[in-house]
Amino acid sequence: AGEYLMALAIGTPPLPYQAIADTGSDLIWTQCAPCTSQCFRQPTPLYNPSSSTTFAVLPCNSSLSVCAAALAGTGTAPPPGCACTYNVTYGSGWTYVFQGTETFTFGSSTPADQVRVPGIAFGCSNASSGFNASSASGLVGLGRGSLSLVSQLGAPKFSYCLTPYQDTNSTSTLLLGPSASLNGTAGVSSTPFVASPSSIYYYLNLTGISLGTTALPIPPNAFSLKADGTGGLIIDSGTTITMLGNTAYQQVRAAVLSLVTLPTTDGSAATGLDLCFELPSSTSAPPSMPSMTLHFDGADMVLPADNYMMSLSDPDSDSSLWCLAMQNQTDTDGVVVSILGNYQQQNMHILYDVGKETLSFAPAKCSTL
């Protein structure tokens, strides 16, 4: 489903589950029994709070309570014994949760390599929508908010290296805390996070895009974060396809179109991608393409063709499609947040240094990390 899944376990005894690793949100949640008809089918057993000796309801007056935060500006205190329930909305759906605390287990399946952390605040979901195609059992927020795993662990930095979509045999690596480092890695580039009114997202200053040696004629302010909090660009491990505002997207689209002589087709209905080329057969190799460079403040992220072009089967014929793995992000005002998705982050070791307010990255063969 275009997501990278994190393996962890919840409760005592630990119940393993898989969750989407998402730098674009902060809540940690999993589906919980009993579940309503609006729960999606998941690959692991449902977590049942009543079966764990370490579960506790998170009081509404906790510093990690969403309800307490919502009431803080009103001068109203949460009622005694209150258990916080609320709805969380994502780009692809929503989930309805109540907050609890639990012991989470991280690490490999070998007990000696595991770490158990008590008192992690999380959401217990009894209803969701939009996650039906997922092979996950929940989500782990790695964003900047107080509820994220990064914040709750007090990790000053973390890193990940996402293996390519075509590599179905290797696992990606996620490192939290001091072990997250690019020291000694060749080709490291760094760019500062952009200060923003949002307490969740990691904003970056994207100043331009080149295809090969050609700088595309994109206005300098196309990715600017506005004073009112609109616009800008975020890096998000939980979004698959990069989304660009209309002005930038049309320039990228036109540049790719000018370099490829294959027949075109609109793949929007089948793939969600509007610029696709028809390959004669499923075994046909696509033409060579130059790298695409994302110019950030002080750092260039070079994307090989495999990181911005996607090969897909054509459901209506024996041929295959080769599509630009980017989408047009528009709204009525023309001011939208652009998103750097995980497809563009393949085979890149990416370090989020929250303490130093920088993002660093270097090309890597992630399957060998």
Side-chain angles (χ1 to χ4, degrees):
E3 303 287 1
Y4 286 85
L5 305 180
M6 179 179 176
L8 65 164
I10 182 172
T12 306
L15 181 71
Y17 79 105
Q18 295 177 335
I20 297 166
D22 184 18
T23 60
S25 66
D26 64 345
L27 181 67
I28 304 164
W29 64 268
T30 187
Q31 293 193 121
C32 298
C35 231
T36 70
S37 58
Q38 283 191 277
C39 283
F40 56 86
R41 185 174 296 178
Q42 65 179 52
T44 55
L46 285 169
Y47 162 75
N48 190 335
S50 64
S51 300
S52 172
T53 60
T54 46
F55 171 79
V57 173
L58 183 73
C60 277
N61 60 0
S62 165
S63 61
L64 292 175
S65 169
V66 173
C67 298
L71 290 172
T74 67
T76 304
C82 163
C84 186
T85 60
Y86 65 103
N87 195 69
V88 187
T89 303
Y90 299 90
S92 59
W94 57 266
T95 188
Y96 182 75
V97 304
F98 70 88
Q99 282 189 283
T101 61
E102 245 311 359
T103 295
F104 279 73
T105 303
F106 307 98
S108 69
S109 56
T110 306
D113 295 330
Q114 292 178 345
V115 176
R116 285 174 59 80
V117 182
I120 297 289
F122 77 109
C124 222
S125 172
N126 298 123
S128 297
S129 178
F131 294 91
N132 295 338
S134 177
S135 56
S137 304
L139 188 145
V140 172
L142 299 171
R144 307 190 66 150
S146 60
L147 286 171
S148 79
L149 179 62
V150 177
S151 296
Q152 292 196 58
L153 293 180
K157 57 184 179 177
F158 68 97
S159 72
Y160 55 69
C161 200
L162 304 179
T163 54
Y165 273 57
Q166 294 82 2
D167 183 354
T168 58
N169 297 318
S170 302
T171 57
S172 302
T173 299
L174 172 66
L175 301 170
L176 293 148
S179 59
S181 174
L182 295 183
N183 292 340
T185 303
V188 177
S189 299
S190 299
T191 185
F193 293 127
V194 177
S196 76
S198 167
S199 61
I200 297 176
Y201 303 122
Y202 298 99
Y203 281 91
L204 302 173
N205 182 19
L206 180 62
T207 59
I209 300 175
S210 296
L211 189 58
T213 58
T214 303
L216 304 184
I218 298 171
N221 63 350
F223 303 104
S224 296
L225 182 62
K226 309 298 188 292
D228 62 0
T230 60
L233 175 137
I234 65 172
I235 180 169
D236 184 6
S237 65
T239 293
T240 306
I241 302 298
T242 286
M243 300 181 182
L244 301 177
N246 183 60
T247 301
Y249 174 77
Q250 295 301 337
Q251 292 294 337
V252 172
R253 187 185 191 280
V256 171
L257 186 60
S258 71
L259 295 179
V260 183
T261 58
L262 294 168
T264 61
T265 183
D266 186 344
S268 299
T271 68
L273 305 173
D274 78 334
L275 178 60
C276 292
F277 302 94
E278 295 180 1
L279 296 175
S281 72
S282 58
T283 59
S284 300
S288 61
M289 290 286 282
S291 59
M292 180 182 293
T293 303
L294 306 182
H295 302 287
F296 293 104
D297 181 8
D300 286 345
M301 181 179 286
V302 181
L303 307 178
D306 286 345
N307 280 36
Y308 70 89
M309 299 297 296
M310 178 184 288
S311 295
L312 299 160
S313 60
D314 186 345
D316 300 320
S317 70
D318 293 331
S319 64
S320 60
L321 301 178
W322 193 50
C323 305
L324 173 62
M326 294 183 175
Q327 292 177 320
N328 192 2
Q329 181 87 307
T330 61
D331 69 4
T332 53
D333 299 322
V335 180
V336 297
V337 60
S338 295
I339 303 173
L340 179 61
N342 63 42
Y343 193 84
Q344 279 64 43
Q345 299 174 49
Q346 299 172 86
N347 268 345
M348 195 90 60
H349 194 178
I350 301 178
L351 172 68
Y352 294 68
D353 195 321
V354 183
K356 293 184 178 179
E357 291 289 329
T358 58
L359 183 89
S360 300
F361 51 86
K365 188 173 181 181
C366 292
S367 61
T368 64
L369 192 67

